[in-house]
Every structure is written in structure tokens, then in C-alpha cells.
Amino acid sequence: MIDYLRLSQLDDVLEMLWAEGPGILMLAGGTDILVRPQPFAGARILLDISRVEQLRDIAVDPADDCLVIGAAATHEEVAWHPQVSRRAQLLAQACRLVGSAQIRNLGTLGGNLGNASPAADSVPALACLDAEVVLSGRNKQRRLPVLEFFTGPGSSVRQPDEVISSLRLPRQRGRQVSFFLKAGQRRGMCCSKASVAFRARSHSDGRLSGVRVALGAVAPTVVRVPEAEQVLEGRRIEPRLIDEAAAACSRAARPIDDIRSTAEYRKAVVGALLTDGLFRLGDKMKQRRRPRRRRPR
Ligand SMILES: Cc1cc2nc3c(=O)[nH]c(=O)nc-3n(C[C@H](O)[C@H](O)[C@H](O)COP(=O)(O)OP(=O)(O)OC[C@H]3O[C@@H](n4cnc5c(N)ncnc54)[C@H](O)[C@@H]3O)c2cc1C
């Protein structure tokens, strides 16, 4: 038997975690927990945090101009929030590709991280946006870069008395370009076999800077690919560089065979996803740079 408890104040959640930590299983949208073969294994209390308003806010912190997204915000709320669209388009794109409308309306950003799956779609996007995870406990709080949160498939540095309270995204300067692409069994309602997130600042002459590339579902945790980033840093997108960056992604991938895919396919498809995304982005950027013809008077 497990006790179910729903709290609406963050302070009460933190008190509860402090008092009962290891016996508690937090429930947000339930879209990961409730499909497990033994959903509540080892837990005494199922603590529902989905109604805690302090965990659902999405707003800009005037102190440091970071966009702060509450961990219990759903994928649908994140995907269509005006501040997210304006400042973190890449995260909006990733959240729009999660599962189906039903899953996006229940599943939360905090749950996507809490589950610690290497296939979590929000994580490559958050890594490319230099996001920090905020972990809160009774009388304590710590922040860490999003990829430092994960220690392996299904495991993280979160202590039993801590909740993921928010994600903090610093403001990105200049004109930003980005894409998130995933390969799955079908277009909707499925987890990624492999995914690629890309973000950079684009300059008026077509050069890129601050390049970030992250891969999902091809290693024990989501990984950045510094080798691919360096290939593109300070350069314009061109076919030879796309090939080099794609090859770097395939080399960086350390996938496994599992029910969703084979390691061989995953290794090949991450390169193909980056190639596809960069070709499309390169075309878009060229069109933008082309001088507009004046209409004859
Ligand atoms: C049919 C289907 C399709 C899916 N498709 C995708 C997909 O395309 N992409 C994708 O990434 N995922 C997908 N998922 C997985 C799932 O929907 C997401 O991972 C979702 O974000 C989980 O959020 P949740 O709120 O439902 O988590 P829950 O199930 O409520 O929780 C998941 C885990 O995180 C912990 N947790 C939740 N919130 C917090 C918090 N604030 N602090 C600390 N720990 C917390 C819980 O204790 C639990 O261990 C799919 C799932 C299903 C069933």
C-alpha cells in the first residue's frame, strides 16, 4: 500500500521531503511513473506536486535577466509561452515534439529531467541554451549546469530531500538560430531513437558563433559535441563543414541496442539529423542575406 498526498505549497513539499525523503515518490504529470511495470516500487508516499503554483511559474527574473521556468510547467505550457518563444525558441521546438497532445498537457519539464532518461527531448535543447537546474530543499538551494544533473540512465545528483524547482535560462545575445530534430518510430507519440539540438548566434555576414550541439538517446546521458561545435565556430555553413560536423557527431555517439533501435542506426542517424538541420538552416540564412530587389517605379 502507498499513501497519496497532494500539496499546494512549496514550503510544505520541502518539509515533507526533509522528514520523509527516501520513502517519497514525487508525482508531477505521471506520464513516466504510471507506465512503469511497478510504478511505486520502494515508495511509501506518493507526493503529488502538480498543483504547486510556485513550481509552475514562467517569468523573467529581473535580477539577472534569466528566464525561469517552473519544473511543474507542462510541455504544452512551455511550448506556447510567449517568453519561451521569444528567448528560447529551441526549447519550445523540443517541447512541441514530445509525445502527443495528451502527454504534453500532463508531462512536465521537471518530470522529463527527474526521470533521467538519455532520450528526454527537453534536455539537449536545455544543454544548448546553457540552462541551469535549480534544486531546492528545506533551508537550501543549489544550481548546476543541466548536464551535470545526470549521472547515468535513470540516475542523477538529486538528493532525496530535494525537488527540482526550476530551470534558469540566461539571455542569449544577438540573432539566434536553432533547431531540434529527432528520429523515432513515427512522428508523434514516441520517444526518440536519437535526437540533435543545435543553437548558435548568426552574424550579418553569415558566420556563426557560440555554437552548441547536443545529442539525445545515443549515450548514457545527453552529451554536447565540442568537436562538432569547433568545426562550425566562426564559420559560414557550407557542405564540407556540415560533413565534418556530422562525422564528429557520429564519432561522439556511444549508443546501445535496445527495443527502440540499434546502436548502428543511432550512430548513423545523429549525423544525418545534423546534416539535415544544417542544410535547411544554411538555405534559410542565405535567403535572409540575399539583397531584396527594388521594384521598378
Ligand atoms: C506515450 C508516451 C510518449 C512519450 N513521448 C515522449 C517524447 O516524445 N519525448 C520525451 O522526452 N518523453 C516522452 N515521454 C515521457 C514523459 O512523457 C516525459 O518524460 C515527461 O516529461 C515526464 O513528466 P511527468 O511530469 O509526467 O513526470 P512523472 O511521471 O510525474 O515523473 C517522472 C519522474 O520524475 C520525478 N519528478 C517529477 N517532477 C519532479 C521534480 N519537480 N523534482 C524532482 N523529481 C521530479 C518523479 O518522481 C519521477 O521519478 C512519453 C511518455 C509516454 C507515456
Coordinates of all heavy atoms in Angstrom, one line a residue, residues 25-33 35-36 49 71 75 97-99 103 106-108 110-112 114-115 119-121 158 163-164 182 189-191, ligand 1:
L25 N 7.9 9.3 -3.4 CA 8.0 9.3 -4.8 C 7.2 10.5 -5.3 O 6.0 10.6 -5.0 CB 7.4 8.0 -5.4 CG 7.4 8.0 -7.0 CD1 8.8 8.0 -7.5 CD2 6.7 6.8 -7.5
M26 N 7.9 11.5 -5.9 CA 7.1 12.7 -6.4 C 6.4 12.4 -7.7 O 6.9 11.7 -8.5 CB 8.1 13.9 -6.6 CG 8.3 14.6 -5.3 SD 9.4 16.0 -5.5 CE 11.0 15.2 -5.6
L27 N 5.2 12.9 -7.8 CA 4.4 12.7 -8.9 C 4.0 14.1 -9.5 O 3.5 14.9 -8.8 CB 3.0 12.0 -8.6 CG 2.0 11.8 -9.7 CD1 2.3 10.5 -10.4 CD2 0.6 11.8 -9.1
A28 N 4.4 14.3 -10.8 CA 4.0 15.6 -11.4 C 2.9 15.3 -12.4 O 1.8 15.3 -12.1 CB 5.3 16.2 -12.1
G29 N 3.3 14.9 -13.7 CA 2.2 14.6 -14.7 C 1.9 13.1 -14.6 O 0.9 12.7 -15.1
G30 N 2.8 12.3 -14.1 CA 2.6 10.8 -14.0 C 2.8 10.1 -15.3 O 2.7 8.9 -15.4
T31 N 3.3 10.8 -16.4 CA 3.4 10.1 -17.7 C 4.6 9.2 -17.8 O 4.6 8.3 -18.7 CB 3.4 11.1 -18.9 OG1 4.6 11.9 -18.7 CG2 2.2 12.0 -18.9
D32 N 5.5 9.3 -16.9 CA 6.6 8.3 -16.8 C 6.3 7.3 -15.8 O 6.4 6.1 -16.0 CB 8.0 9.0 -16.5 CG 8.7 9.5 -17.8 OD1 8.7 8.7 -18.8 OD2 9.2 10.6 -17.8
I33 N 5.9 7.8 -14.6 CA 5.7 6.9 -13.4 C 4.7 5.8 -13.7 O 4.9 4.6 -13.5 CB 5.3 7.7 -12.2 CG1 6.5 8.5 -11.7 CG2 4.8 6.7 -11.1 CD1 6.1 9.4 -10.5
V35 N 3.4 4.5 -16.3 CA 3.5 3.4 -17.3 C 4.7 2.4 -16.9 O 4.9 1.5 -17.7 CB 3.8 4.0 -18.7 CG1 2.6 4.8 -19.2 CG2 5.0 4.9 -18.7
R36 N 5.3 2.6 -15.7 CA 6.3 1.7 -15.3 C 5.6 0.4 -14.9 O 4.5 0.4 -14.3 CB 7.1 2.2 -14.1 CG 8.0 3.4 -14.4 CD 8.7 3.9 -13.2 NE 9.3 5.2 -13.4 CZ 9.7 6.0 -12.5 NH1 9.5 5.7 -11.2 NH2 10.3 7.1 -12.8
I49 N 2.9 16.9 -6.8 CA 3.4 18.3 -6.7 C 2.8 19.1 -7.9 O 3.2 20.2 -8.1 CB 4.9 18.4 -6.7 CG1 5.5 17.6 -8.0 CG2 5.5 17.8 -5.5 CD1 7.0 17.9 -8.2
A71 N 9.5 23.9 -12.6 CA 9.7 22.5 -13.0 C 8.3 21.8 -13.3 O 8.3 20.8 -14.0 CB 10.4 21.7 -11.9
H75 N 4.8 20.5 -20.8 CA 5.4 20.7 -22.1 C 4.6 21.7 -22.9 O 5.1 22.5 -23.7 CB 5.6 19.4 -22.8 CG 6.6 18.5 -22.2 ND1 8.0 18.8 -22.2 CD2 6.5 17.3 -21.5 CE1 8.7 17.9 -21.5 NE2 7.8 17.0 -21.1
L97 N 7.5 18.6 -29.7 CA 7.7 17.3 -30.3 C 7.6 16.2 -29.3 O 7.8 15.0 -29.6 CB 9.1 17.2 -31.0 CG 9.2 18.0 -32.3 CD1 10.6 17.9 -32.9 CD2 8.2 17.7 -33.4
V98 N 7.3 16.5 -28.1 CA 7.2 15.4 -27.0 C 5.8 14.7 -27.2 O 4.8 15.4 -27.3 CB 7.2 16.0 -25.6 CG1 6.8 15.0 -24.6 CG2 8.7 16.5 -25.3
G99 N 5.9 13.4 -27.3 CA 4.7 12.5 -27.3 C 3.5 13.0 -28.2 O 3.6 13.1 -29.4
I103 N 0.0 13.8 -23.8 CA 1.2 13.6 -23.0 C 1.8 15.0 -22.7 O 2.2 15.3 -21.6 CB 2.3 12.8 -23.8 CG1 1.8 11.4 -24.0 CG2 3.7 12.9 -23.1 CD1 1.7 10.5 -22.7
L106 N 0.0 16.8 -19.8 CA 0.3 16.3 -18.4 C 1.7 16.3 -18.1 O 2.1 16.7 -17.0 CB -0.2 14.8 -18.4 CG -1.7 14.6 -18.2 CD1 -2.0 13.1 -18.3 CD2 -2.1 15.1 -16.8
G107 N 2.6 15.9 -19.0 CA 4.0 15.7 -18.7 C 4.7 17.1 -18.5 O 4.4 18.1 -19.1
T108 N 5.6 17.1 -17.5 CA 6.3 18.4 -17.1 C 7.8 18.4 -17.5 O 8.4 17.3 -17.7 CB 6.1 18.6 -15.6 OG1 6.8 17.5 -14.9 CG2 4.7 18.6 -15.2
G110 N 10.1 19.2 -15.3 CA 10.8 18.6 -14.1 C 10.7 17.1 -14.2 O 11.7 16.4 -13.9
G111 N 9.6 16.6 -14.7 CA 9.5 15.1 -14.8 C 10.4 14.6 -15.9 O 11.0 13.5 -15.8
N112 N 10.5 15.3 -17.0 CA 11.4 15.0 -18.1 C 12.9 14.8 -17.6 O 13.6 13.9 -17.9 CB 11.3 16.0 -19.2 CG 11.6 15.5 -20.6 OD1 12.2 16.2 -21.4 ND2 11.2 14.3 -20.9
G114 N 13.6 14.6 -14.1 CA 13.6 13.7 -12.9 C 13.7 12.2 -13.3 O 14.3 11.4 -12.6
N115 N 13.2 11.9 -14.5 CA 13.2 10.5 -15.0 C 14.6 10.1 -15.4 O 15.0 9.0 -15.5 CB 12.2 10.4 -16.2 CG 11.9 9.0 -16.5 OD1 11.7 8.2 -15.6 ND2 11.8 8.7 -17.8
A119 N 17.0 9.8 -23.4 CA 16.1 10.2 -24.6 C 15.2 11.3 -24.3 O 14.3 11.7 -25.1 CB 15.3 9.0 -25.0
A120 N 15.3 12.0 -23.1 CA 14.4 13.1 -22.8 C 14.6 14.2 -23.8 O 15.7 14.8 -23.9 CB 14.7 13.5 -21.4
D121 N 13.5 14.6 -24.4 CA 13.7 15.6 -25.6 C 14.0 17.0 -25.1 O 14.6 17.8 -25.9 CB 12.4 15.6 -26.4 CG 12.3 14.4 -27.3 OD1 13.3 13.8 -27.7 OD2 11.2 14.0 -27.6
R158 N 20.4 14.4 -7.7 CA 19.3 14.9 -6.8 C 19.3 14.1 -5.5 O 19.3 12.9 -5.5 CB 17.9 14.8 -7.4 CG 16.8 15.4 -6.6 CD 15.5 15.3 -7.2 NE 14.9 14.0 -7.1 CZ 14.3 13.4 -6.1 NH1 14.1 14.2 -5.0 NH2 13.9 12.2 -6.1
V163 N 13.8 18.9 -4.4 CA 12.9 18.9 -5.5 C 13.6 19.7 -6.6 O 14.3 20.7 -6.3 CB 11.5 19.5 -5.2 CG1 11.6 20.9 -4.8 CG2 10.5 19.3 -6.3
I164 N 13.4 19.3 -7.9 CA 13.8 20.2 -9.0 C 12.8 21.3 -9.0 O 11.6 21.1 -9.2 CB 13.8 19.5 -10.4 CG1 14.6 18.3 -10.4 CG2 14.2 20.5 -11.5 CD1 14.4 17.4 -11.6
K182 N 14.4 15.0 -34.2 CA 14.5 13.7 -33.6 C 14.1 12.6 -34.6 O 13.3 12.9 -35.5 CB 13.7 13.6 -32.3 CG 12.2 13.7 -32.5 CD 11.4 13.9 -31.2 CE 10.6 12.7 -30.8 NZ 9.8 12.9 -29.6
M189 N 3.8 10.6 -30.5 CA 3.6 9.6 -29.5 C 4.7 8.6 -29.4 O 4.5 7.4 -29.2 CB 2.3 8.9 -29.9 CG 1.5 8.2 -28.8 SD 1.0 9.4 -27.6 CE 0.0 8.4 -26.6
C190 N 5.9 9.0 -29.6 CA 7.0 8.1 -29.4 C 8.3 8.8 -28.9 O 8.5 9.9 -29.2 CB 7.3 7.3 -30.6 SG 8.1 8.2 -31.9
C191 N 9.1 8.0 -28.1 CA 10.3 8.6 -27.6 C 11.4 8.5 -28.7 O 11.3 7.7 -29.6 CB 10.7 7.8 -26.4 SG 9.5 8.0 -25.0
Ligands
LIG1 C1 3.1 7.6 -24.8 C2 4.3 8.4 -24.3 C3 5.0 9.1 -25.1 C4 6.1 9.9 -24.7 N1 6.8 10.6 -25.5 C5 7.9 11.3 -25.1 C6 8.7 12.1 -26.0 O1 8.4 12.2 -27.2 N2 9.8 12.8 -25.5 C7 10.1 12.7 -24.2 O2 11.1 13.3 -23.8 N3 9.4 12.0 -23.3 C8 8.3 11.3 -23.7 N4 7.6 10.6 -22.8 C9 8.0 10.5 -21.4 C10 7.3 11.5 -20.5 O3 6.1 12.0 -21.0 C11 8.2 12.8 -20.2 O4 9.4 12.4 -19.7 C12 7.5 13.7 -19.2 O5 8.2 15.0 -19.3 C13 7.5 13.2 -17.8 O6 7.0 14.3 -17.0 P1 5.9 13.9 -15.9 O7 5.5 15.2 -15.2 O8 4.8 13.1 -16.4 O9 6.8 13.0 -14.9 P2 6.3 11.9 -13.7 O10 5.9 10.7 -14.4 O11 5.3 12.6 -12.8 O12 7.7 11.8 -13.0 C14 8.8 11.3 -13.7 C15 10.0 11.2 -12.6 O13 10.5 12.4 -12.3 C16 10.3 12.7 -10.9 N5 9.9 14.1 -10.8 C17 8.9 14.7 -11.4 N6 8.9 16.0 -11.1 C18 10.0 16.3 -10.3 C19 10.5 17.4 -9.7 N7 10.0 18.7 -9.9 N8 11.6 17.3 -9.0 C20 12.2 16.1 -8.8 N9 11.8 14.9 -9.4 C21 10.6 15.0 -10.1 C22 9.3 11.7 -10.4 O14 9.4 11.4 -9.0 C23 9.6 10.5 -11.3 O15 10.7 9.8 -10.8 C24 6.5 9.8 -23.3 C25 5.7 9.1 -22.4 C26 4.6 8.3 -22.9 C27 3.8 7.5 -21.9

